[in-house]
Amino acid sequence: MDKLPTRNKLLHHFYEHWRPQLGTETIPIDEAEGRICAKSYQSGNQIPLVRSSAFDGIAVKSASFSDGMPDTSVWIKDQDFCRADTGDDFPDEFDTVIRIEAVTFLPESGVKLDLSKEPVPGEGVRTSGSFMSKNDELVKEGDILTPLSLTSLLAGGYTTVEVKARPRVVFLPTGSELIKPGTPLTRGKNIETNGSLIKMIMSKWGADVTCLPICYDNHDSLRNAIFTALDSADILIVNGGSSKGNEDFTVHLLEKESSFFTHGVRCVPGRPAVFSLIQDKPVINLPGPPAAALAVLSWGIKDLYYHAMGSDAPHSYQEVILTETVSGAGPFDLYQRLFLYKKDGQIYGKPFSMKDSNAEVNQYCNGYTILHSDQSYLAGSPILADRLFSSVR
Ligand SMILES: Nc1nc2c(c(=O)[nH]1)N[C@H]1C(S)=C(S)[C@@H](COP(=O)(O)OP(=O)(O)OC[C@H]3O[C@@H](n4cnc5c(N)ncnc54)[C@H](O)[C@@H]3O)O[C@H]1N2
Ligand code: MOO
């Protein structure tokens, strides 16, 4: 068991053998939030192009102040000064801006300035390129595009952006005991729920997810289903049949058909997960139990999904206080589901235990942490948690 690779080693080893080959597409910037940028972009614009006022005020000639404070009561608008509000350009004969709060406009003409000292040339002026310079780097290949970085692209002169294609994820549930949701439960049957879990979570990452009909435990049908699925998949997830059961065909089939194959990870639940490559595409055998499927999805498939697009998986890590002591899982790391909640300004993580029903776990679980092998974690100690879906209340 100790020989099983850690999560990091497993993924690292997998990435050494896998060269993702996703295409790209060019889309409108307003539709690109969360997508992965396919190339670097530099600004085509210099903003402001010449200069602009840093605040609401009047633009003046600094030379007027070279011999001390001038008699501004005789100033003529648009000759000795002009209005220049925040972001405004102004004529070249002016070079300095005075805040409007220091200016009183006199009834006839002229102004009264309430200044403690003469303005320095260039004061109150944003210089050319001070907001954005031509050729400033805006985004890099592999960046996850955010509303902010996308506004930089707009300012830099772009209206579309080239992004990595959304990976096509195909989910193949296997197991003769499985029935479609909505089918009345009968003895020995179990409702297929992992497909919806994968679809809901991965769609949020931007994946294009297709869930196939349940494939019953039959070697030839499973083989057919896998190869048909590969025609339209960039990533294939085969669920169930990962362990040692009589009908656990998946693991053997993948071992036989793959160019790269690794079975097992030093983390529970999810220990018998398979990461393999067929036709240079990742084929993951996700263990059937829903807790195992969630664990492998969180640390493994998410990483791999973003790696396919040349990016790193985003996480919402946060230090929280563990509310109950948890002993680890011996030589295995433990994927510990948590209920994250806020009390008196502090965020806590309540670990679920084997005693908690699935209904209770699924009702409250909104995060997880991974506890290291051979360690106990005491109630009251800080741990690093990652959010799963909903925000913490
Ligand atoms: N003798 C041993 N038994 C088991 C071992 C072992 O080492 N020796 N490993 C255990 C571990 S750990 C895990 S994890 C599971 C792995 O199970 P499989 O991946 O082989 O999955 P199945 O046997 O097909 O199903 C297990 C369980 O999960 C339910 N399931 C399957 N698919 C779905 C789905 N899409 N949605 C909801 N639930 C699903 C299935 O009905 C079973 O109840 O093996 C242990 N056994
Ligand atoms: O690794 Mo398995 O039951 O512990 O998911």
Side-chain angles (χ1 to χ4, degrees), residues 45 163 193 236:
N45 286 332
V163 295
T193 55
L236 174 60

Side-chain angles (χ1 to χ4, degrees), residues 55-105:
F55 31 66
D56 297 345
I58 59 168
V60 299
K61 302 168 183 171
S62 62
S64 315
F65 297 83
S66 52
D67 298 326
M69 202 57 86
D71 178 6
T72 57
S73 65
V74 297
W75 272 12
I76 297 169
K77 187 165 179 284
D78 296 331
Q79 186 180 309
D80 299 299
F81 73 95
C82 72
R83 282 300 303 251
D85 289 338
T86 313
D88 285 355
D89 195 3
F90 48 84
D92 286 344
E93 59 262 37
F94 305 109
D95 63 357
T96 299
V97 175
I98 296 171
R99 278 181 188 281
I100 204 70
E101 289 85 341
V103 180
T104 309
F105 294 98

Side-chain angles (χ1 to χ4, degrees), residues 231-246:
D231 287 343
S232 58
D234 297 307
I235 297 172
L236 174 60
I237 302 173
V238 186
N239 192 206
S242 68
S243 198
K244 299 192 161 58
N246 202 19

